[in-house]
Amino acid sequence: MTVLSCSGAGFDAARTLARVRHGHGFFAQAISPQPLEMLAGELAAACASLTLCDLDPLFASPDDLTLARHLASCLSAPAELALRSAPELGVRRLAGGDEHVWFDTRFEAAHQLPNVPAGHPCGRLHGHGFGVRIEADAARATHASLAAAWQPLAARLEHRLLNEIAGLANPTSEVLAAWLFAELDVDGLVAVEVYETASAGSRFDGGRWTIWKTLRFEAARAFDAAGRYTGHSYRLRLRLAGDALDAELGWLRDFGDVKRAFAPLYDALDHHLLDTLPGLAATDCASLASYIGERFAMPALAGVDVLQNGHDGALWRKEAACTR
Ligand SMILES: Nc1nc2c(c(=O)[nH]1)N=C([C@H](O)[C@H](O)COP(=O)(O)OP(=O)(O)OP(=O)(O)O)CN2
């Protein structure tokens, strides 16, 4: 088990790429074993040093990967560094040095889950604006090649009833992510993520699925030696992982089951003073993530993310190497 810190910071800057001069609102996210305050301070300083800069004289080629490498090099511990240069585009540089590009897209479609128990809302014909993230090896794919590879899939999925498509008779997020992984013609494909709703999603990397359910809770804590209080709208992401789906239901575990099983812990956290929670050693995000990870006894639980302000927080992981 391990706990990592996670922090985010943005900067606005100009650059020339493919001879076109333009500007971006970049957003960087770093994940590292450093204490949160140290990671957040170093990332904020690195981003501030690029704020409102012309990047052209600073870098031989101010592309996303070069900037991600630069920001990672400003941190005093090895970190995973993700950089988003547009709402739908970004790169991810893992702590070990692997580099990925990702492209986000969407499609609108209907589906129903035919094997769920009677009365389950997903047994009814309904629909979603499905979010999709395609992530690939940066040495073998580009944002443009990912966007091009998506086009034939978009034509097959957009405004369709997914159950009528070969291979999607039971179109859960997990089945859809694996189907897209098989159907996408992408050199160096690393993973596909599918988001049915803003609060739940699934990732398939060719062998293993991760699913998550995101919840919010509102809580207070004492934040200094004088015992003064502050409060946060915490974002909590519960992650489960496995290398096989339930043969009939086509999922690792119903998102709704994850939420229901978590309800007793949720009730202990939401609208409470965290300092009074029995067994919680400290109220920083790392302590909270560990507390939840150690107490939420759901088989296949792989991770717990606790963010206190949307981008700063801690990631508890059952396996050290896994940040997604
Ligand atoms: N592991 C999976 N569980 C569920 C899937 C799935 O694909 N994989 N799909 C569904 C439904 O299609 C549903 O639309 C989405 O589920 P859920 O997150 O439970 O939906 P809500 O938006 O209603 O959740 P709230 O937390 O109440 O907002 C069900 N499960």
Side-chain angles (χ1 to χ4, degrees):
M1 281 173 216
T2 190
V3 184
L4 299 166
S5 297
C6 166
S7 182
F11 61 97
D12 295 330
R15 67 180 177 185
T16 304
L17 285 182
R19 287 194 236 145
V20 180
R21 189 158 170 73
H22 59 289
H24 290 267
F26 292 94
F27 190 78
Q29 189 202 41
I31 298 173
S32 99
Q34 289 172 278
L36 177 57
E37 291 69 25
M38 187 186 291
L39 176 66
E42 291 181 3
L43 183 68
C47 288
S49 74
L50 299 177
T51 296
L52 300 180
C53 280
D54 178 358
L55 300 175
D56 294 349
L58 303 180
F59 302 95
S61 168
D63 56 82
D64 290 358
L65 275 171
T66 300
L67 299 175
R69 285 179 206 133
H70 166 76
L71 291 170
S73 75
C74 296
L75 306 175
S76 58
E80 177 174 318
L81 201 302
L83 184 72
R84 182 190 285 267
S85 55
E88 75 285 8
L89 300 176
V91 297
R92 199 157 81 94
R93 187 177 192 280
L94 277 61
D98 286 358
E99 295 180 330
H100 300 168
V101 289
W102 54 262
F103 166 70
D104 280 354
T105 186
R106 297 189 67 77
F107 68 95
E108 315 290 322
H111 78 158
Q112 76 186 115
L113 303 185
N115 304 334
V116 293
H120 193 295
C122 299
R124 300 193 291 266
L125 180 58
H126 63 286
H128 301 281
F130 288 85
V132 175
R133 173 168 294 190
I134 306 167
E135 188 171 329
D137 181 348
R140 295 162 65 190
T142 62
H143 291 134
S145 72
L146 298 185
W150 171 248
Q151 291 315 311
L153 272 302
R156 292 168 67 186
L157 295 167
E158 188 66 61
H159 285 70
R160 302 297 160 111
L161 174 56
L162 299 183
N163 303 68
E164 292 176 351
I165 297 172
L168 293 180
N170 181 23
T172 62
S173 296
E174 289 92 327
V175 168
L176 190 50
W179 184 86
L180 285 168
F181 193 95
E183 296 291 321
L184 275 163
D185 184 12
V186 169
D187 192 22
L189 185 61
V190 168
V192 175
E193 294 180 2
V194 170
Y195 304 74
E196 272 187 26
T197 66
S199 74
S202 168
R203 176 181 175 93
F204 182 66
D205 66 6
R208 176 182 159 100
W209 286 266
T210 307
I211 66 165
W212 56 88
K213 183 73 187 169
T214 307
L215 306 168
R216 302 193 73 92
F217 66 92
E218 317 291 326
R221 66 186 184 96
F223 75 98
D224 65 6
R228 287 184 297 172
Y229 291 116
T230 187
H232 300 293
S233 291
Y234 289 92
R235 200 182 79 187
L236 171 68
R237 185 166 273 187
L238 303 167
R239 295 176 184 268
L240 274 57
D243 52 16
L245 302 181
D246 181 286
E248 192 191 354
L249 293 164
W251 57 36
L252 285 181
R253 192 75 189 251
D254 185 351
F255 298 138
D257 280 353
V258 178
K259 187 174 169 180
R260 280 185 287 279
F262 191 71
L265 265 169
Y266 183 87
D267 290 343
L269 295 163
D270 185 47
H271 284 78
H272 282 288
L273 170 60
L274 296 177
D275 304 58
T276 61
L277 209 59
L280 181 63
T283 58
D284 57 286
C285 287
S287 303
L288 262 177
S290 303
Y291 178 89
I292 293 167
E294 285 156 16
R295 278 165 181 76
F296 185 38
M298 174 158 263
L301 182 73
V304 175
D305 306 359
V306 176
L307 302 183
Q308 65 189 24
N309 61 1
H311 45 73
D312 286 345
L315 315 180
W316 174 91
R317 291 292 181 268
K318 210 166 234 174
E319 289 174 22
C322 181
T323 54
R324 302 296 290 175

